[in-house]
Amino acid sequence: MLKDFKDENWEEIKNEDVSICQYSATWCSPCQSLKPIMSKISDQYKDKANFYYADIEEGALNHGSQMGVRGVPTTILFRKGVEVDRLVGNPGEAKVKEFIDKNI
């Protein structure tokens, strides 16, 4: 399940073994087309990672800035709150799965 991410959730999320966060914006069409892909993948990988959707203009502005998100969509994989890798853009479902598989 793809959960909404807000800045105030970071304290809880950073303690998770593996967290994957999609930083996006409502006006971004590649972001909106990536969201259902991430939702589908989150169901497939629910036993391996927690998945989040962070709108950088509503609720995740500070954390997006702290993480150096300069373009959306940006997907970051965290292990115990430490960035392991990031994927910028929407390369499609197969590439997103490849990105996740190589990092978990």
Side-chain angles (χ1 to χ4, degrees), residues 6-7 18 20 37 41 66 85 87 89 92 96 98 100-101:
K6 304 276 187 222
D7 286 335
V18 179
I20 300 168
I37 293 170
I41 291 172
Q66 288 172 350
D85 201 358
L87 179 68
V96 173
E98 184 179 305
I100 294 169
D101 287 337

Side-chain angles (χ1 to χ4, degrees), residues 5 7-8 23 55-57 59-68:
F5 175 95
D7 286 335
E8 57 269 14
Y23 294 87
D55 188 317
I56 61 164
E57 293 184 334
L61 177 64
N62 293 326
H63 194 261
S65 294
Q66 288 172 350
M67 295 311 303

Side-chain angles (χ1 to χ4, degrees), residues 36-85:
I37 293 170
M38 292 300 288
S39 183
K40 179 181 175 184
I41 291 172
S42 72
D43 290 337
Q44 295 169 349
Y45 287 80
K46 66 184 173 199
D47 296 332
K48 297 180 180 181
N50 292 307
F51 289 76
Y52 297 92
Y53 178 85
D55 188 317
I56 61 164
E57 293 184 334
E58 289 187 31
L61 177 64
N62 293 326
H63 194 261
S65 294
Q66 288 172 350
M67 295 311 303
V69 174
R70 300 286 180 251
V72 288
T74 295
T75 304
I76 301 178
L77 189 139
F78 298 98
R79 194 175 301 277
K80 294 282 188 186
V82 176
E83 180 177 340
V84 174
D85 201 358

Side-chain angles (χ1 to χ4, degrees), residues 17-36:
D17 288 335
V18 179
S19 306
I20 300 168
C21 189
Q22 175 191 343
Y23 294 87
S24 297
T26 54
W27 48 262
C28 168
S29 60
C31 299
Q32 297 311 308
S33 63
L34 179 60
K35 190 174 183 180

